[in-house]
Amino acid sequence: MAAASPVITVDGPGGAGKGTISGLLACRLGWNLLDSGAMYRVTALAATKKGVDFADIAAITDVAHGLDVVFAPCDEGVSVFLSGQDVSSEIRTEACGELASRVATVGAVRDALLERQRAFQVAPGLVADGRDMGTVVFPSAELKIYLTASAEERAKRRHKQLIDKGISVNLARLLEDITERDERDINREVAPLKPAEDAVVVDTTVLSIDEVVALVSDLWGKIG
Ligand code: C5P
């Protein structure tokens, strides 16, 4: 049997730089990229479009099972199509992130998305970005990174990202949202946000994007 393609997992709280770092790493290595947060976001969006009650776990799980979603690599990372419609911008709103973190607490939804996530592990390799990539989805990953940064710094980065996209947001409100979402992700019963036992924890508060990419590339160079 052919050896499975290598995986680098990049987990951590929102705004720690996972998306940017994972995209740059995948590009540098010529590997595939899994943005697992986008799967939870698109599930939340599909449920909203169908008018599903978020307290109805069976209905939300049906949505996750039946998702007609396509992830297409593009210059900005990945474009996301839901039932043929480009929803790449729509899923990035704070409101959609908030709903995503609610659907992500449902074990049956996580199970429904598991195989879709594992299907990304194809040659020549995969960079997987999320909350439980190293702990649950790819426990045998060759390299596991846990990126973190102070909540204030993460709120500042999200603020800049949104402003750059022309979306106006309040920094203090963003910090509250990030803290609330962290708490939900860390304290949920299924697949809580935490570093895998064998993860390398990288605090990016005072590191530049280039420094983090260089650090992770060096770590991979020593293994790969
Ligand atoms: O990373 P992103 O902000 O796009 O993720 C949206 C939400 O999806 C997170 O707040 C988290 O609750 C959930 N998520 C998750 N497991 C993942 C990726 C994201 O629970 N692997």
Side-chain angles (χ1 to χ4, degrees), residues 5-6 8 21-34 73 120-127 213 217 220:
S5 298
I8 298 178
I21 302 297
S22 299
L24 288 169
L25 266 178
C27 201
R28 188 183 268 210
L29 295 164
W31 286 10
N32 304 292
L33 175 66
L34 165 61
F120 279 74
Q121 187 182 0
V122 288
L126 173 68
V127 179
V213 173
S217 300
W220 175 246

Side-chain angles (χ1 to χ4, degrees), residues 11-18 130-131 146-149 154 182 185-186 193:
D11 288 307
K18 300 184 305 289
R131 303 290 190 288
Y146 187 88
L147 285 189
T148 184
R154 290 186 285 120
D182 283 355
D185 288 347
I186 290 167
L193 170 64

Side-chain angles (χ1 to χ4, degrees), residues 36-37 40-41 101 104 110 130-133 181 185 188:
S36 60
Y40 290 95
R41 286 172 181 265
S101 92
R110 305 196 73 85
R131 303 290 190 288
D132 61 342
M133 297 294 99
R181 213 172 330 149
D185 288 347
R188 71 180 171 221

Side-chain angles (χ1 to χ4, degrees), residues 9-191:
T9 58
V10 183
D11 288 307
K18 300 184 305 289
T20 309
I21 302 297
S22 299
L24 288 169
L25 266 178
C27 201
R28 188 183 268 210
L29 295 164
W31 286 10
N32 304 292
L33 175 66
L34 165 61
D35 175 356
S36 60
M39 276 203 199
Y40 290 95
R41 286 172 181 265
V42 86
T43 304
L45 182 67
T48 308
K49 285 187 190 286
K50 286 193 167 146
V52 168
D53 175 359
F54 276 69
D56 184 343
I57 289 181
I60 294 278
T61 306
D62 276 352
V63 170
H65 274 293
L67 273 186
D68 172 11
V69 66
V70 173
F71 293 86
C74 67
D75 286 349
E76 293 78 40
V78 179
S79 290
V80 183
F81 294 85
L82 174 63
S83 304
Q85 192 197 345
D86 188 344
V87 293
S88 314
S89 304
E90 220 176 324
I91 61 165
R92 295 294 159 203
T93 63
E94 284 305 294
C96 195
E98 160 68 19
L99 290 174
S101 92
R102 285 175 60 188
V103 303
T105 62
V106 180
V109 167
R110 305 196 73 85
D111 290 346
L113 299 180
L114 193 60
E115 288 314 314
R116 284 182 195 261
Q117 296 175 64
R118 289 190 174 148
F120 279 74
Q121 187 182 0
V122 288
L126 173 68
V127 179
D129 156 2
R131 303 290 190 288
D132 61 342
M133 297 294 99
T135 51
V136 176
V137 183
F138 301 107
S140 313
E142 281 74 6
L143 177 60
K144 298 179 185 177
I145 304 293
Y146 187 88
L147 285 189
T148 184
S150 70
E152 289 73 18
E153 178 62 23
R154 290 186 285 120
K156 267 196 241 160
R157 290 178 190 170
R158 261 284 150 80
H159 187 249
K160 182 172 182 314
Q161 251 175 10
L162 293 169
I163 296 288
D164 287 350
K165 282 188 193 154
I167 303 170
S168 141
V169 275
N170 174 287
L171 182 59
R173 180 70 214 282
L174 211 49
L175 179 57
E176 262 175 44
D177 288 352
I178 278 192
T179 311
E180 193 182 309
R181 213 172 330 149
D182 283 355
E183 269 171 28
R184 194 177 292 146
D185 288 347
I186 290 167
N187 295 318
R188 71 180 171 221
E189 278 175 25
V190 268

